[in-house]
Amino acid sequence: WVWSKLGLSPLAAVLKPLARIAEVALSVLGGSTPDEIAQLYVCGSWEADAATWEAIALAPTADELLIKNTVRILLEPWLEDSARAFQHAVELNPLPGQGEQEDVAAKLGMCILFADGLRYDVGRRLAERLEERGFNVLVNQRWAALPTVTATAKPSVTPAADVIVGDELLGDFAPVYRQNGKQIEAVTLRTAIKNAGYLIDGSESDQSKCKEEAVGWSEAGALDQRGHDLGEDLAKQIMTEIDRLTERITQLFDAGWTLVRVVTDHGWLLVPGGMPKADLPKYLTLTRWKRCAIVNGESEVEALSVPWHWNKNQHFLTAPGIACFNASPSYAHGGLSIQECLIPDLTVERNEGGQASRATIRSVTWRRMRCFIETCNANSKVKIDLRLERPTGNSVVASPKLLDEDGTASLVVEDDYEESNLVLVLLNPKGNILAKRTTKVGVSS
């Protein structure tokens, strides 16, 4: 509507992410194994989590409380039921421990970029932003180390993981170095990564080395820190963090790296108004964090006991559902939910020539349910697709079509999508997005 374009109907814009939460929340994320649940999440359920922070970020100041309460009502039952289903699946089929998942390593010319707390849905939005900037992005995923706290999970996604072991599980959840038994710390971890042959970004001695014949390690982003500081208001900072990561990745390519792999340690839960509290007396525990705890001695506690990633003979407790042991925060991690445990693993490269593609969509003409497209600077190896709602949405045509020699093509849409918001995308042979344009049946542009 014109009123929306003038900024006079802001709540109308919030309806879109709210509707997405409601749509996904109709079905609990279930499955007999964690991998089955992950497949459902990757195929679209992650958008409910993205829509959560997008709705809050779009809310006018005067209506923030209204939107946060609406998000909570829509989201919390789905999160709770899905988390319990995931915990049951993990109890029967444990997540990978040390050495049971492919190690994180770089090939020559690649720099690994660690981004703390890059939850899967935020990783998908980062991939979209990078594709808009002309990069090719391959989105994969892996399981976080348990418990999903930085001290345990970050070392597992570094090239130094093979020199780290688990001894006794102590209050800080940190593993130790195999050689000397000392606990992992940020400074010593970077030293171990450097000893594994990686250039630590920013050191003066590394600047003269050829990036194409080296491997690198860098760190950026502050999502987790901001989440702990801001709680539910993290929602307003996520796009800013995505933009910062995009700029950092661009800088790494400008510095000479030919590939960038983005990894993270864990995800998190975000529930406006706070999560429910689970009763766990402090005197029964050695340590008690928001979503995980360690039992004191032989204490018997009614909570799920899970093997520690670094030593399967050591166990910790995880809070039931989306509850927390010692508070009711809006932001937390350390437990068992798909949002905390399934993490993105992105491989980024520049398009041929190192620049953004010059391919564009010149015009879109509709005749009933058929869309005619004219493009510029796109050859016959380029495909065109019509997708629902967003550039990475589901296709609404039988299959993407190759452009004709003159850069034109036509696509037919089923009647089911006559009132839907659609996005035309140009795709290179690898399936990466070169250009996009929003459209709607009957609206030529």
Side-chain angles (χ1 to χ4, degrees):
W1 290 355
V2 64
W3 309 114
S4 180
K5 293 178 180 178
L6 291 173
L8 298 177
S9 55
L11 284 177
V14 184
L15 284 174
K16 184 174 180 180
L18 289 180
R20 186 59 180 144
I21 299 172
E23 179 185 359
V24 175
L26 288 173
S27 301
V28 174
L29 271 174
S32 58
T33 67
D35 286 342
E36 288 181 4
I37 297 174
Q39 185 62 30
L40 290 173
Y41 190 73
V42 167
C43 287
S45 295
W46 63 271
E47 291 197 33
D49 291 304
T52 296
W53 51 266
E54 289 170 343
I56 296 172
L58 286 170
T61 302
D63 298 298
E64 278 186 12
L65 183 59
L66 168 66
I67 299 306
K68 288 178 179 179
N69 286 338
T70 305
V71 167
R72 180 187 179 91
I73 291 169
L74 293 171
L75 186 72
E76 186 176 13
W78 177 75
L79 285 177
E80 175 69 21
D81 293 342
S82 298
R84 288 186 179 273
F86 183 74
Q87 288 161 11
H88 179 66
V90 171
E91 188 175 11
L92 298 176
N93 300 274
L95 295 185
Q98 184 182 20
E100 297 177 348
Q101 212 170 186
E102 184 179 352
D103 290 340
V104 171
K107 59 180 69 175
L108 291 180
M110 174 185 284
C111 182
I112 298 174
L113 178 65
F114 173 81
D116 192 10
L118 185 69
R119 196 168 72 168
Y120 183 82
D121 56 308
V122 183
R124 291 290 291 261
R125 290 289 186 257
L126 172 62
E128 292 174 5
R129 180 55 58 92
L130 288 166
E131 288 177 337
E132 291 173 357
R133 292 282 293 268
F135 294 102
N136 297 330
V137 185
L138 177 63
V139 181
N140 289 315
Q141 61 276 339
R142 60 188 288 121
W143 292 113
L146 299 181
T148 49
V149 296
T150 300
T152 282
K154 181 178 179 180
S156 72
V157 292
T158 70
D162 60 346
V163 300
I164 298 170
V165 296
D167 191 4
E168 183 181 1
L169 182 54
L170 301 175
D172 56 5
F173 296 98
V176 299
Y177 291 107
R178 187 190 306 274
Q179 185 175 10
N180 56 24
K182 292 184 178 180
Q183 283 198 337
I184 305 296
E185 297 177 353
V187 174
T188 58
L189 183 59
R190 288 171 69 88
T191 300
I193 295 170
K194 186 174 182 179
N195 291 340
Y198 284 72
L199 303 183
I200 303 301
D201 187 75
S203 68
E204 294 181 3
S205 61
D206 294 339
Q207 300 305 309
S208 61
K209 296 185 179 180
C210 177
K211 301 294 195 298
E212 293 182 359
E213 299 176 0
V215 289
W217 172 270
S218 186
E219 299 183 27
L223 273 168
D224 191 37
Q225 177 184 336
R226 294 187 183 280
H228 288 297
D229 291 342
L230 301 175
E232 60 203 43
D233 288 332
L234 167 68
K236 302 174 186 177
Q237 299 296 321
I238 291 178
M239 284 309 304
T240 300
E241 288 299 313
I242 288 174
D243 288 339
R244 286 174 176 165
L245 286 171
T246 301
E247 290 303 319
R248 182 64 187 133
I249 291 167
T250 302
Q251 291 170 2
L252 290 173
F253 280 107
D254 290 342
W257 297 105
T258 58
L259 289 170
V260 174
R261 181 177 180 181
V262 184
V263 299
T264 190
D265 49 357
H266 57 73
W268 31 270
L269 291 171
L270 185 69
V271 182
M275 300 171 206
K277 186 176 180 181
D279 184 33
L280 179 63
K282 187 175 182 180
Y283 68 86
L284 295 177
T285 62
L286 176 65
T287 187
R288 187 184 63 174
W289 291 18
K290 292 176 183 177
R291 296 268 294 148
C292 55
I294 301 174
V295 172
N296 188 8
E298 300 298 324
S299 301
E300 294 186 6
V301 178
E302 292 187 8
L304 180 60
S305 178
V306 182
W308 184 31
H309 172 85
W310 295 102
N311 185 343
K312 288 189 174 183
N313 295 319
Q314 299 286 309
H315 288 70
F316 67 94
L317 300 180
T318 184
I322 60 169
C324 292
F325 284 133
N326 59 355
S328 298
S330 299
Y331 174 94
H333 60 87
L336 279 179
S337 68
I338 195 72
Q339 290 80 7
E340 296 164 280
C341 297
L342 190 72
I343 51 177
D345 187 343
L346 312 180
T347 301
V348 188
E349 64 177 347
R350 271 184 164 151
N351 281 315
E352 294 181 9
Q355 301 295 327
S357 170
R358 295 171 56 241
T360 59
I361 299 172
R362 175 188 291 171
S363 66
V364 180
T365 304
W366 285 92
R367 295 176 188 167
R368 296 184 180 275
M369 304 302 293
R370 183 177 290 275
C371 178
F372 295 86
I373 306 102
E374 292 183 332
T375 67
C376 294
N377 301 315
N379 57 42
S380 58
K381 294 182 180 180
V382 171
K383 289 184 178 180
I384 190 156
D385 194 9
L386 195 55
R387 296 177 173 178
L388 185 63
E389 296 288 349
R390 61 178 68 254
T392 55
N394 294 328
S395 177
V396 299
V397 298
S399 63
K401 290 181 64 175
L402 287 170
L403 294 176
D404 292 336
E405 292 292 340
D406 60 357
T408 64
S410 67
L411 299 169
V412 177
V413 182
E414 296 180 3
D415 294 345
D416 294 347
Y417 302 104
E418 189 168 2
E419 299 298 326
S420 301
N421 295 316
L422 306 174
V423 183
L424 278 164
V425 291
L426 295 182
L427 306 171
N428 70 7
K430 294 183 179 180
N432 300 112
I433 297 173
L434 302 176
K436 64 180 181 177
R437 178 181 289 194
T438 57
T439 188
K440 201 166 187 177
V441 173
V443 181
S444 301
S445 61

